[in-house]
Amino acid sequence: LMSNHCKIYDRTYSAISGENIITPTGLSDNCILDGGEDGLNYGSYQSFIFLPDLKDHEKTYALHKDMHIDFENQDLYTENFWFSTISKKDSTYVFDKKYTINDTRLHNESLTAIPNKEKNGWWVLMPHQNSNAFDRYLIRADTVLRLDTQRIGLSYHVQDIGIGQAAFSPKGNYFAKNSEQHGVLLYEFDTGTGHLSNFRSIPYPDSRNVAKGLCFSPNERFIYVTTAENVYQIDLEQDDEIFNLGYDR
């Protein structure tokens, strides 16, 4: 499955039955033009993910956020965070239902997930707009449980954060966000409770030059980040030593 916030498509790029505009309001209001997609007003970076049900292979979940522009304050934010379910029946996907799961403005990006310790559900952390608060969600058996809100680390202001990627480490021991102002925002994570701890920021030389991608090595020792021009490796076992992997021009 794939989506551009307008529709959900299967592997043959055929739209599945159900909602015409998956993520209404915000910029995606304009994604349908004369019966087609204009391709100009899709959702923000890292604002739509599919999650398979870890017990029922016939069900898939979609989490997706709209994006709004506050022109007066030069800010971006999410007004609505949706949870949708998709069922597979006789090799055909069908859109089932959709409902909102937030009650406050959220940071418009950074949508990612990690299985919980029991491997029967998914943890999702959603930062608030211009705040260091995170909503903690557990998605399990066609249900979203919003458990609590945790405050930790630095606030997510769009002017400081930019469009950097957020990611959990492969084993779920860390959560990190690439930011322009502060470099890597790194948190330890507990897959049993869904709580963050031991926040620290890791500045690196080129982060202000459009901080973008972020990922962990399989053993969780290294973080790799990209900017508009460079790739950096950060060694978490050697006092966050930074090595520039270079850029092939």
Side-chain angles (χ1 to χ4, degrees), residues 163-188:
I163 60 173
Q165 184 176 0
F168 286 99
S169 61
K171 300 175 185 177
N173 292 313
Y174 296 100
F175 173 78
K177 168 78 171 177
N178 196 3
S179 77
E180 295 188 3
Q181 183 71 26
H182 309 290
V184 174
L185 309 180
L186 181 65
Y187 314 76
E188 293 184 15

Side-chain angles (χ1 to χ4, degrees), residues 21 30 68 92 106 125 135 140 148 159 177 196 212-213:
I21 300 179
N30 304 318
H68 297 263
T92 301
L106 301 172
L125 302 177
D135 286 342
R140 184 172 56 197
D148 58 21
Q159 295 90 347
K177 168 78 171 177
L196 299 166
K212 291 186 176 179

Side-chain angles (χ1 to χ4, degrees), residues 1-3 8-9 22 46-65 81-88 93-97 99 101 110-116 119-126 136-145 166-168:
L1 296 174
M2 63 163 286
S3 180
I8 294 176
Y9 301 90
I22 299 302
Q46 213 173 1
S47 61
F48 196 121
I49 56 172
F50 291 106
L51 300 174
D53 188 296
L54 297 177
K55 296 295 183 180
D56 184 353
H57 299 303
E58 300 300 311
K59 280 195 173 292
T60 300
Y61 307 123
L63 287 96
H64 43 116
K65 305 189 296 178
F81 183 25
W82 280 281
F83 174 74
S84 298
T85 59
I86 301 130
S87 297
K88 188 177 181 181
Y93 289 99
V94 178
F95 190 91
D96 290 331
K97 61 182 178 180
Y99 57 90
I101 57 177
S110 304
L111 181 52
T112 186
I114 190 77
N116 64 352
K119 303 294 190 243
N120 62 1
W122 294 90
W123 287 116
V124 173
L125 302 177
M126 205 68 264
R136 183 171 59 114
Y137 297 92
L138 179 60
I139 300 164
R140 184 172 56 197
D142 203 13
T143 302
V144 179
L145 301 175
F168 286 99

